[in-house]
Amino acid sequence: MNKSSMTSTTTEKAETFHAQLHRLRQQFVTHWWIIFLTISLGVLLQIVLTMKMQDYKFSEGKIISSSLISGPDNQGISTNGTPGDFFATQIELLNGSEIRRKAEERVKITNPGLTPDVVDLEVEQPAHSDILVLTAKSKNGPYAQAWLGAVMYEYLEFRKITLAGPVDKTVAELKKDQVEAKEKINKQIDLIAAWKKQYNDVALVEQDNGAALYLAKLKQTLAQNQTEFQLLEMLSVEQTVKRQSAELTPNSTNPNLIANVNTSQVSGVAQEYLEAKKQVQVLLAEKAELSQVLKPKHPKIVAYNEEIARQEKKIEILREQSREEIKNQKESLGLQITNNEREIKEWEVKAREIGGLLGEYKQLQATLEQANIDYKNISDKISTISSTLRTTPDFMQIMAQASEPKPYKRGLVKALVIGVLGGLVVGIGILLLINQLDDRVRSFSEMQATFDYPIIGHVPRSAVTDKPLISEDDDRHMLLESLRNIRSSIFFMPHVGAKPKTLLVTSSIPNEGKSTVSSNLAVTMAMSGAKTLLIDADMRRGSLHTLFQTPASPGLADFLTETSSLEDAIFTTKVKNLSIMSRGRGTNAANDLLLGKHTDTLIKKLYPEYDYIILDSAPVLAADDTSNLAPKVDGVVFVLRASFTPARLARRTLQILLGRQVNILGLVFNCAESGSADYPYYRYEEYHKHSVA
């Protein structure tokens, strides 16, 4: 926040404070009789009470009260909260209904001959002391004395009972918890015994371990069978035979060569297949060797060809047999896989059952263990408290027994002071409540804080009521200067386009002084040399013709109804440069006339003829005339009367005007208190009395 913003905020706070202070002062000036009335009632009430108390007797007693418990660190601790609250607690106990009831019962038993009466008990603690002073007041003096003694006795008895020992109470609660913990231990032991009767925990552990090992073995076998099955699915017959032969001859340097296979290690169809393949290779080698010296059709070569063909045919037959054998192997593996999966599921169920039983057993053991720990902790606490805490005796004794009844004398001066102060407080409270409920604007600062529109001036409350119009030699300097200030505000206010010439003056409700403001504003305009026309646009109850002593008719209503010409409706006044158009014949159709085309015609005709045209209209909330006329003029001046206009009505009026697209030039604060801090501007009357030579 910059320096200028901080300064602005400080100024606004100061203005708000002064506005509230002025408002409260106004409330006091206006409603002073409320404070006078409340003070009078307070004094009267205290006088009546003082007169009534003359028949009362009182008895007085005193108690020395102190109650502490020493902790392990030998620090004093109040049994009724913090030490500062101790005596307040004792006073509450003495005034409690239970002590009173028991005291009344005790008086009936110990003093049956006394007539019961209403007793008023006051308990006070003198400053910086440990003494409680008890005063019992009643019309029956002996009963008040007996009752006070019973109260003191019952109070001490109550102390004995309630302060019998907070440590013992704590130990008793811990012992109760100890019993509950022991019961929980016994319950857990019974549950574990019942479980062992039904199940053998050692056997279950062995079964759990065996099941885990067997499941691992089954899953390993299943994985091997699944791998073998997948290989049989992917490999051809030739690759399968080669794979089997490679597995049987792990030391072979080239397992893909059939010639390197030891056929004695291969059995069945695979062995025959390998031997046939080996025989073909041998025959091909011998044929190749003979082919170097013999021709292709040589009988030996032909014999070799026939033998090779026979062996190849045998190989084909063996290949088909191998396919069948591989198929059988796959089916066998599939059955084994299915059986493995079934066994795994069965053993998993068994393992879960065994695990659940073991888990239940472990949970029972864990609960028993925790119960034993809780029991030990509680026992340790009981032992610690019993050995370290000790209770000191409650020091409480009666310092002075209930005194003999004496006449009660209530000081008149004290009663009057109480009545005045009490009435003053009540009266101020009522004024503050009225201030909250009353939203009438009372000061210039309050008006600034309430409305977001520019305030173009404020008019002081004039002491001269028989001369509403101002003149050039008027001795009401504050009134004259304030109206000149409004005129200057209108002359020099910022505007876009042409300077406003047609000005409408209005207010929310009647009696806010708008007619006086509009008339005097027109006079000040004329005093400045501006050719000015004042129009009484309140055709229902307008009274400007009375102020300026001109005929009421013909006027505005006559022109709008075409019963008079414009020239006949305008009159000159005693004020130079000022003319007036009266309201004309009173009519209840003003709303319709102002909405008609003749109003626009009137403004067009008058606009070039005058420097300023000021229209005094009806209050907005009293009639809808102004709401129809205001949009046709250049600007509206809104008048509020100090300590008269409710803020909520003013806001509603301004909202109505804004809804009609009206140009609100600013607000005028009428009948302002000239003596307030908000109105120092034109207080210096001596400045206007003598001219400088």
Side-chain angles (χ1 to χ4, degrees), residues 548-560:
F548 288 93
Q549 298 179 356
T550 59
S553 181
L556 178 61
D558 301 291
F559 174 79
L560 296 179

Side-chain angles (χ1 to χ4, degrees), residues 78 80-82 84-95 155 159:
S78 173
N80 296 286
T82 61
D85 295 334
F86 177 74
F87 284 104
T89 303
Q90 307 315 305
I91 293 173
E92 288 294 326
L93 288 174
L94 285 164
N95 283 307
Y155 169 70
R159 293 280 301 177

Side-chain angles (χ1 to χ4, degrees), residues 431-618:
L431 287 184
L432 292 175
L433 179 61
I434 292 174
N435 186 61
Q436 291 295 321
L437 298 176
D438 184 8
D439 67 339
R440 291 178 295 178
V441 181
R442 296 184 178 275
S443 67
F444 184 78
S445 297
E446 187 178 349
M447 188 175 179
Q448 283 181 313
T450 305
F451 301 99
D452 295 331
Y453 297 92
I455 301 175
I456 60 177
H458 43 190
V459 180
R461 188 187 302 275
S462 177
V464 183
T465 57
D466 57 348
K467 187 181 178 184
L469 292 179
I470 62 171
S471 59
E472 290 186 356
D473 57 350
D474 205 310
D475 58 356
R476 295 171 296 180
H477 307 295
M478 294 173 64
L479 177 62
L480 183 61
E481 292 300 324
S482 64
L483 290 166
R484 287 171 175 168
N485 180 49
I486 296 173
R487 178 187 65 188
S488 299
S489 297
I490 295 174
F491 279 171
F492 303 110
M493 69 170 46
H495 55 83
V496 179
K499 184 169 64 174
K501 291 179 59 176
T502 54
L503 309 175
L504 184 141
V505 181
T506 188
S507 63
S508 299
I509 55 179
N511 300 321
E512 293 192 75
K514 62 170 183 59
S515 297
T516 304
V517 170
S518 60
S519 301
N520 285 314
L521 179 60
V523 172
T524 55
M525 292 284 192
M527 287 180 181
S528 68
K531 188 178 181 182
T532 307
L533 174 64
L534 176 63
I535 300 177
D536 192 347
D538 186 357
M539 291 181 283
R540 302 172 187 266
R541 304 190 57 165
S543 59
L544 295 186
H545 60 280
T546 304
L547 289 175
F548 288 93
Q549 298 179 356
T550 59
S553 181
L556 178 61
D558 301 291
F559 174 79
L560 296 179
T561 55
E562 298 182 319
T563 58
S564 174
S565 63
L566 182 60
E567 292 75 11
D568 294 338
I570 297 176
F571 299 93
T572 58
T573 66
K574 297 178 181 179
V575 180
K576 185 179 179 181
N577 298 322
L578 177 62
S579 300
I580 184 172
M581 177 183 285
S582 302
R583 62 177 173 82
R585 290 178 298 171
T587 176
N588 289 326
N591 195 341
D592 299 329
L593 293 175
L594 292 173
L595 275 176
K597 62 181 180 179
H598 294 298
T599 302
D600 298 328
T601 302
L602 173 65
I603 294 175
K604 287 181 181 179
K605 287 184 177 181
L606 296 175
Y607 208 83
E609 299 295 329
Y610 294 91
D611 296 322
Y612 288 97
I613 302 170
I614 299 175
L615 297 92
D616 176 31
S617 67

Side-chain angles (χ1 to χ4, degrees), residues 14 109 250 381 439 653:
I109 296 172
K381 286 182 181 179
D439 67 339
T653 303

Side-chain angles (χ1 to χ4, degrees), residues 7 57 68 89 92 136 199 263 276 291 405 443 449 464 516 560 576 608 660 685:
T7 304
K57 305 292 188 300
L68 298 175
T89 303
E92 288 294 326
Y199 307 104
T263 57
S291 296
S443 67
V464 183
T516 304
L560 296 179
K576 185 179 179 181
R660 303 292 175 90
E685 295 186 14

